[in-house]
Amino acid sequence: YRGQPETPISKLNEVLSKYKGTTWAGSLSGNGGRPVAIYVPEGFDPNKPAEVAYHFHGMHGQIMDIKRPPLEGTGEYYKKKKVGTISDAHNRIDQALGRFEKQGPTRNAILVYPLSAGQRDQNKNGIAWKQAYDSEWMKKGNDTGDDMEKLHQETIAQLGTLGININRPSVTLSGHSAGGIALRNIMTSNFHADKVKFLDASYGSWATDTYRAAMRNNPNTKFEVYVHSGSDTTDSAATKGLEKGKNVSYVRSPVAHEVFNQNFI
């Protein structure tokens, strides 16, 4: 996107190949034509109630084993500490895949792992631009045509080509860290989800905005908020206001931010 490096499909297939089950990686228009990985764990039974779980990665999760590039307009921290280093993207997807492989048939769920566009923001003075993450991800009508409804339809169709035909699966959306903004963009675009999970991703008003939209779209949506104990960002006063909300599960955990995928996805 705009000259930024993108994880090649071959790299996604290399990562997926380590896990038992059926896998696919390719580009889907619902994700703006960017790469998407699909993982169906060994033991998945399409004849039982099924779950399709979409996970939205955190900052720089779109570049696996690629050095972070110098980008125009980024802040001093990014320029001094990040440029030329390798992101945690590979570790994060491994955590997600490992957890789904371990849960296997007991959860009967399929993992869908899209990749963001990286630095993309209408506000060049905003934190997303300065830190080079994608504030426009899954915002309907953006410049690459991200559309969660289309992504879901394409996912179901792609599963069919793999011989996995599922009828009306439940849909879970989860986001880790900066992936929380994708959840907000999706739900404020009137998408219907059965479950939404914030994995230490409830910065600012992201979770509260998403919750209000979720309740408008589907009052039965289950809403799960996981925060790092003692955090004054993800466990902010605004986020704490969700604790007594309808269908909300609010969990404070001592585990480090870096391993939330491993524990809660």
Side-chain angles (χ1 to χ4, degrees), residues 75-208:
E76 288 304 309
Y77 179 79
Y78 180 88
K79 290 175 182 176
K80 292 180 179 179
K81 301 290 186 179
K82 298 297 184 181
V83 173
T85 65
I86 301 294
S87 80
D88 297 317
H90 198 145
N91 172 267
R92 300 294 189 267
I93 192 172
D94 271 335
Q95 287 184 32
L97 291 164
R99 183 161 170 84
F100 270 72
E101 181 181 56
K102 185 177 180 179
Q103 290 177 328
T106 60
R107 184 173 177 180
N108 210 47
I110 293 166
L111 173 65
V112 184
Y113 199 104
L115 302 186
S116 78
Q119 188 191 45
R120 174 171 55 157
D121 197 344
Q122 297 303 312
N123 178 12
K124 300 301 188 294
N125 294 314
I127 189 172
W129 187 267
K130 290 179 179 178
Q131 294 189 4
Y133 67 83
D134 191 358
S135 64
E136 296 288 301
W137 196 9
M138 301 312 300
K139 185 180 288 186
K140 203 167 186 177
N142 68 21
D143 59 355
T144 57
D146 299 17
D147 188 317
M148 187 64 221
E149 193 65 55
K150 181 185 288 187
L151 176 59
H152 184 51
Q153 293 171 1
E154 290 175 322
T155 296
I156 298 302
Q158 189 60 52
L159 288 167
T161 67
L162 299 173
I164 300 165
N165 298 295
I166 48 179
N167 185 34
R168 297 190 178 184
S170 67
V171 175
T172 296
L173 307 176
S174 67
H176 174 241
S177 196
I181 202 165
L183 303 185
R184 184 180 71 175
N185 290 340
I186 290 167
M187 298 309 290
T188 54
S189 296
N190 299 319
F191 184 76
H192 286 222
D194 297 284
K195 183 183 292 184
V196 179
K197 301 171 69 171
F198 275 77
L199 311 183
D200 216 26
S202 49
Y203 299 98
S205 65
W206 293 358
T208 52

Side-chain angles (χ1 to χ4, degrees), residues 3-30:
Q4 296 178 57
E6 181 181 89
T7 298
I9 301 300
S10 59
K11 168 57 68 173
L12 281 178
N13 279 318
E14 177 187 321
V15 174
L16 289 166
S17 69
K18 298 184 295 181
Y19 296 90
K20 297 177 181 178
T22 301
T23 64
W24 178 88
S27 299
L28 294 177
S29 60

Side-chain angles (χ1 to χ4, degrees), residues 205-249:
S205 65
W206 293 358
T208 52
D209 291 347
T210 304
Y211 178 72
R212 284 193 291 267
M215 292 300 102
R216 287 195 303 270
N217 300 341
N218 176 11
N220 296 316
T221 302
K222 294 180 180 178
F223 205 82
E224 299 180 4
V225 181
Y226 298 85
V227 298
H228 180 69
S229 302
S231 166
D232 59 0
T233 51
T234 58
D235 192 24
S236 65
T239 305
K240 288 175 184 176
L242 295 172
E243 284 189 271
K244 296 181 180 179
K246 178 185 176 182
N247 298 338
V248 175
S249 173

